[in-house]
């Protein structure tokens, strides 16, 4: 699935960046069909990303999402009545708030007349929320969209076994004592064994971690390369954190927690030996962003961060290529846009695992893989690592499944300002062998605040 926001897609964008040998920012009149809409990312926010079971542990997911929604309104100074629609992502859903977009919106004080729905596509759920909003704007259905996502792994739904559930359902319908006793006689102690949310692929039964290990092995990614990359992620995240670059992060005062939560708590700079001993951890967090048309932003007195220029989704074999979404998505996106690797100033690629990142890079550098799976005549080439995840990534900052997509977009937009770039690419893999790639362009009014 993909959508083009220009009459000629973005195939002419490359030439439009060259004037007398100098790259320049595009404008609506220069690069965009007057009948089309320039869609902009106005701004975005997120909660601090925390390891599950820590300071967010007593919250409910919609409360975490509420914080991001309210923080977005405060940061943009937007009247909530001007929001036409809310799209929110969630993966492991709280059963009491299955449409968490609606429940969080109501908790944040949005009008009950503002529609809201929840989307899910594993680790790219908030990317889906954003692109769904782009579709609404493109078709003229709505002008001003809030998109985001929340993940809360501190309290996941745990079910009784299916046999126990079946017995309980029958018991609820039993009318006589005899019927109830008959059902009771069918009970067995092993019926009480709980069912936790699956961490394995339904189609293959394999955990994502095991799949990542197999992927790394298939591309001959060494443990040294994985440890080096993990250390890079944590080191760059720590530097960005200390420099105050995470301006999308909004502190959260949680009831019952003494200290103000004002930073991600998973960033650890240590030796490679110490990092190698760390166990995988789940993360809690939420995010939200505002997207609209450039004309509407001007009308409302808003200064956008970036143009949302294009996107594509990809899907491949969920067994042997589960985590290769970026390797498939990046070439497809850039081809659609008439761009090459050297045209991109900022790369923000989701770090599911260190081995997964290195494997994707090696895939793009492999003649055989690119010929076999992308149909190219030679290797595509890898992104410039000097422009790649320069503020760290999911390995260090954390990865609340449905919230990460907004963080990737916001880091892209803010890095383009701080690094004086023009074009940025967001890419991510997701469960089910799926992935996303998005193209952002720095807006002339953008700041990194």
């Amino acid at each position: 699935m993909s959508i083009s926001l220009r009459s000629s897609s973005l195939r002419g964008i490359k030439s439009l960046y060259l004037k007398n040998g100098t790259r320049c920012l595009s404008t609506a009149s220069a690069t965009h069909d007057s009948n089309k809409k320039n869609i902009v990312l106005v701004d975005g926010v997120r909660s601090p990303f925390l390891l599950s079971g820590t300071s967010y542990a007593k919250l409910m997911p919609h409360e975490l999402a509420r914080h991001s929604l309210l923080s977005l309104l405060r940061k943009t100074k937007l009247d909530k009545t001007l929001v036409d629609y809310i799209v929110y992502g969630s993966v492991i859903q709280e059963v009491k708030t299955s449409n968490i977009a609606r429940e969080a919106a109501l908790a944040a004080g949005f009008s009950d007349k503002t529609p809201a729905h929840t989307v899910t596509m594993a680790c790219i759920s908030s990317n889906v929320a954003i692109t769904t909003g782009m579709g609404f704007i493109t078709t003229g259905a709505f002008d001003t969209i809030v998109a985001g996502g929340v993940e809360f792994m501190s309290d996941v739904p745990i079910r009784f076994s299916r046999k126990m559930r079946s017995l309980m359902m029958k018991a609820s319908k039993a009318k006589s004592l005899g019927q109830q006793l008959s059902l009771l006689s069918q009970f067995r102690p092993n019926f009480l064994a709980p069912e936790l949310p699956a961490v394995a692929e339904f189609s293959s039964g394999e955990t994502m971690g095991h799949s990542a290990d197999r992927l790394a092995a298939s591309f001959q990614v060494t443990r040294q390369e994985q440890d080096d990359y993990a250390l890079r992620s944590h080191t760059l995240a720590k530097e960005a954190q200390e420099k105050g670059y995470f301006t999308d992060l909004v502190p959260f005062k949680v009831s019952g927690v003494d200290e103000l939560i004002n930073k991600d708590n998973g960033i650890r700079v240590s030796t490679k030996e110490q990092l190698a001993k760390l166990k995988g951890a789940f993360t809690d967090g939420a995010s939200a962003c505002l997207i609209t048309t450039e004309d509407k932003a001007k009308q409302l007195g808003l200064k956008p961060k970036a143009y949302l220029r294009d996107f594509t989704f990809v899907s491949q074999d969920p067994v042997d290529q589960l985590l290769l979404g970026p390797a498939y998505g990046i070439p497809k996106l850039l081809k659609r846009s008439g761009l090459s690797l050297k045209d991109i100033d900022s790369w923000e690629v989701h770090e599911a695992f260190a081995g997964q990142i290195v494997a994707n890079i090696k895939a793009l550098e492999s003649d055989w893989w690119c010929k076999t799976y992308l149909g190219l005549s030679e290797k595509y080439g890898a992104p410039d690592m000097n422009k790649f995840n320069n503020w760290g990534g999911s390995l260090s900052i954390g990865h609340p499944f449905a919230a990460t997509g907004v963080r990737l977009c916001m880091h892209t937009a803010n890095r383009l300002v701080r690094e004086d770039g023009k074009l940025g690419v967001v890419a991510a893999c997701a469960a089910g062998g799926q992935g996303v790639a998005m193209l952002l362009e720095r807006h002339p009014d953008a700041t990194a605040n």
Side-chain angles (χ1 to χ4, degrees):
M1 170 186 173
S2 58
I3 185 170
S4 175
L5 303 181
R6 302 184 183 188
S7 57
S8 59
S9 184
L10 293 176
R11 300 186 188 283
I13 195 170
K14 183 175 179 180
S15 62
L16 292 165
Y17 277 90
L18 297 171
K19 283 188 178 180
N20 300 320
T22 303
R23 285 173 49 173
C24 60
L25 285 167
S26 65
T27 63
S29 60
T31 68
H32 204 69
D33 187 315
S34 60
N35 294 321
K36 298 291 182 178
K37 299 176 181 179
N38 269 318
I39 299 176
V40 293
L41 170 65
V42 176
D43 212 333
V45 299
R46 65 180 177 91
S47 70
F49 288 174
L50 302 187
L51 299 176
S52 299
T54 57
S55 296
Y56 293 151
K58 294 184 179 180
L59 294 175
M60 287 188 67
H62 74 282
E63 295 174 310
L64 197 51
R66 173 182 180 272
H67 168 265
S68 287
L69 292 174
L70 289 174
S71 297
L72 179 66
L73 293 174
R74 294 189 192 105
K75 189 174 184 183
T76 59
K77 297 180 173 59
L78 182 70
D79 186 330
K80 61 172 68 78
T81 62
L82 297 175
V83 174
D84 296 323
Y85 204 101
I86 297 169
V87 191
Y88 223 69
S90 184
V91 181
I92 307 296
Q93 298 185 9
E94 163 61 54
V95 294
K96 292 181 180 178
T97 55
S98 57
N99 185 5
I100 198 166
R102 178 64 168 171
E103 302 304 335
L106 293 175
F110 282 86
S111 168
D112 58 11
K113 304 298 183 184
T114 305
H117 82 269
T118 301
V119 296
T120 186
M121 199 172 178
C123 302
I124 56 176
S125 293
S126 59
N127 301 88
V128 173
I130 292 170
T131 56
T132 298
M134 293 168 69
F136 283 156
I137 294 170
T138 300
T139 60
F142 301 103
D143 286 329
T144 307
I145 310 290
V146 168
V150 61
E151 209 63 46
F152 192 72
M153 299 298 290
S154 288
D155 181 28
V156 297
I158 299 173
R159 304 194 302 178
F160 284 111
S161 69
R162 185 159 191 170
K163 290 181 178 179
M164 188 64 193
R165 298 198 309 270
S166 176
L167 196 63
M168 294 170 71
M169 290 294 291
K170 292 176 181 176
S172 69
K173 300 175 182 178
K175 297 180 179 180
S176 68
L177 179 59
Q179 290 174 328
Q180 293 171 350
L181 291 174
S182 175
L183 289 170
L184 183 60
S185 70
Q186 299 174 29
F187 172 77
R188 298 293 181 271
N190 64 1
F191 287 10
L192 295 176
E195 287 184 2
L196 277 69
V199 293
E201 290 291 307
F202 182 80
S203 58
S204 68
E206 184 178 39
T207 65
M208 188 173 285
H210 187 260
S211 180
D213 288 342
R214 287 198 303 106
L215 181 68
S218 69
F219 283 96
Q220 298 181 327
V221 179
T222 66
R223 183 56 188 261
Q224 183 68 44
E225 288 175 308
Q226 295 179 59
D227 291 345
D228 287 344
Y229 188 86
L231 181 60
R232 175 189 190 271
S233 181
H234 282 270
T235 300
L236 292 176
K238 184 65 173 178
E239 290 175 359
Q241 188 181 62
E242 291 178 344
K243 290 178 181 178
Y245 287 173
F246 294 164
T247 54
D248 57 327
L249 186 152
V250 179
F252 193 176
K253 183 64 180 75
V254 176
S255 177
V257 177
D258 292 336
E259 71 277 5
L260 178 69
I261 301 168
N262 59 10
K263 63 180 181 180
D264 308 308
N265 70 358
I267 300 173
R268 296 184 177 92
V269 177
S270 55
T271 65
K272 284 182 285 187
E273 292 72 24
Q274 291 172 318
L275 284 174
K277 296 177 183 178
L278 291 178
K279 295 181 179 180
F282 293 114
T283 315
D284 298 335
S287 62
C289 68
L290 177 66
I291 64 174
T292 186
T293 64
E294 186 175 31
D295 288 344
K296 188 69 173 181
K298 289 180 180 178
Q299 178 186 329
L300 297 175
L302 301 168
K303 293 186 176 182
K305 293 276 190 180
Y307 295 104
L308 295 170
R309 286 307 192 194
D310 205 358
F311 68 86
T312 190
F313 288 94
V314 294
S315 189
Q316 55 278 340
D317 174 17
V319 178
D320 294 325
Q321 299 191 333
L322 178 69
L323 302 172
L324 284 177
Y328 279 96
I330 289 169
K332 183 178 178 182
L333 176 75
L334 296 188
K335 181 180 180 181
R336 283 168 48 79
S337 305
L339 298 168
S340 66
L341 290 168
K342 67 178 183 295
D343 295 310
I344 306 305
D345 301 301
S346 170
W347 297 91
E348 283 291 331
V349 181
H350 167 50
E351 300 168 350
F353 301 89
Q356 163 261 337
I357 284 287
V358 180
N360 273 267
I361 291 169
K362 289 193 173 190
L364 291 170
E365 286 282 11
S366 166
D367 282 319
W368 176 84
W369 191 86
C370 290
K371 289 177 180 178
T372 303
Y373 293 103
L374 299 184
L376 302 178
S377 60
E378 59 182 351
K379 69 180 183 181
Y380 187 79
D384 183 346
M385 294 305 290
N386 292 318
K387 303 175 181 179
F388 191 93
N389 290 10
N390 285 0
W391 293 355
S394 300
L395 283 174
S396 47
I397 295 168
H399 173 44
F401 303 141
T404 289
V406 170
R407 179 193 67 77
L408 292 171
C409 289
M410 288 307 302
H411 280 200
T412 298
N414 288 331
R415 279 184 54 203
L416 287 174
V417 175
R418 293 194 183 275
E419 298 169 10
D420 194 26
K422 305 300 183 292
L423 289 174
V425 165
V426 165
C429 59
Q434 304 196 95
V436 67
M438 300 175 67
L439 178 67
L440 281 71
E441 177 190 347
R442 176 181 168 186
H443 192 276
D445 296 333
T447 68
N449 297 330

